[in-house]
Amino acid sequence: MASADAGSIADLWDRLTGTQPDPPWWLVILVGLLALAAVVHGPTWRVARNVVTIAHEGGHALIALATGRKLDGIKLHSDTSGVTVSRGKPHGPGMVFTAMAGYLAPPLLGLLFALLLAGGRVTLMLWFSLALLAGMLVMIRNVYGVLSVVATGALIFGVSWFGGDKTQAGFAYLAAWFLLFAATRPVVELQRMRVRHMAPSSDADQLAHLTGVPGLAWVSLFAVVSLVSLLAGATLMAPDASSLPDLPLLPGV
């Protein structure tokens, strides 16, 4: 029995750390288009934006802990807003980096996913996502937040445990593409709300108060990081030219 358990653990470890075959080129392109459609299509975005909120608030929480702040909790709301409460000095680098992390987390996480996928680490990427969600779950302080994180984690676990190589790869690439495409839209929405004076306590305005650097500069930073991450991630995940089908030549060419 002990030998069988050891073998199962070894198989699981090999599955987690090993590489998976590259998905077909058409699957990478198809899920990329689906991810873009989910960001552009309003009704779909209103649901899918919950994933961005999880990443956003998770970024605040992770950097708060990394900079020595005490994390009191995270709340996720049905309108796709969220709040992360931490305690510590109300100024200084720790507070600045914590405030910065929200809008930077989705694109940088998408880029990290793209790096893992480019190396064939599909299963590792999915289980790394589960580890992040599990760590976040213990800090959630409202029912909707718990349901959102548990539902997201259950979906990822189901795909990673029961899905075949192609299903896992399609889902993993969809998640990476979505985070990369989706990161820019909240930044645009943030600036639109700032122009209308509807977000006086936004992350950008808090950073302006903390540093003296104008809020627009912080919004610009969020936008630049999102766009650069998208370009870099797309380059990493784009199908290799050798995997694309040969197009027939036109007569006389």
Side-chain angles (χ1 to χ4, degrees), residues 53-94:
T53 303
I54 291 173
H56 180 111
E57 300 303 331
H60 283 313
L62 179 63
I63 299 304
L65 292 173
T67 55
R69 299 181 63 80
K70 180 176 176 57
L71 186 61
D72 286 342
I74 304 167
K75 290 184 178 181
L76 307 173
H77 304 298
S78 58
D79 63 355
T80 72
S81 65
V83 61
T84 299
V85 179
S86 63
R87 283 184 287 162
K89 291 197 303 183
H91 52 77

Side-chain angles (χ1 to χ4, degrees), residues 23-233:
W25 65 269
W26 58 264
L27 183 60
V28 176
I29 294 175
L30 175 62
V31 296
L33 293 174
L34 289 175
L36 179 59
V39 175
V40 173
H41 184 245
T44 305
W45 171 248
R46 282 191 287 274
V47 176
R49 197 183 193 281
N50 284 284
V51 176
V52 181
T53 303
I54 291 173
H56 180 111
E57 300 303 331
H60 283 313
L62 179 63
I63 299 304
L65 292 173
T67 55
R69 299 181 63 80
K70 180 176 176 57
L71 186 61
D72 286 342
I74 304 167
K75 290 184 178 181
L76 307 173
H77 304 298
S78 58
D79 63 355
T80 72
S81 65
V83 61
T84 299
V85 179
S86 63
R87 283 184 287 162
K89 291 197 303 183
H91 52 77
M95 188 63 199
V96 171
F97 286 125
T98 298
M100 284 175 58
Y103 282 96
L104 298 182
L108 294 179
L109 184 60
L111 181 57
L112 175 60
F113 286 173
L115 281 167
L116 290 173
L117 295 176
R121 310 283 181 174
V122 174
T123 304
L124 179 60
M125 175 242 156
L126 294 173
W127 280 62
F128 176 70
S129 303
L130 285 174
L132 292 177
L133 289 170
M136 187 174 179
L137 181 60
V138 300
M139 296 308 302
I140 298 292
R141 295 292 182 263
N142 67 323
V143 173
Y144 182 83
V146 170
L147 292 175
S148 295
V149 173
V150 169
T152 304
L155 178 60
I156 296 172
F157 176 79
V159 170
S160 66
W161 193 258
F162 300 108
D165 287 342
K166 190 175 292 186
T167 301
Q168 288 190 30
F171 184 84
Y173 274 82
L174 176 65
W177 278 120
F178 176 75
L179 284 173
L180 290 169
F181 281 128
T184 305
R185 181 161 178 171
V187 178
V188 174
E189 293 172 349
L190 167 64
Q191 183 56 23
R192 185 180 300 141
M193 293 180 68
R194 292 184 70 250
V195 169
R196 297 173 181 174
H197 305 288
M198 296 173 62
S201 299
S202 71
D203 291 354
D205 292 287
Q206 290 184 45
L207 285 163
H209 175 73
L210 289 166
T211 65
V213 177
L216 182 59
W218 292 108
V219 175
S220 300
L221 173 66
F222 300 154
V224 168
V225 172
S226 297
L227 292 173
V228 170
S229 297
L230 173 58
L231 291 174

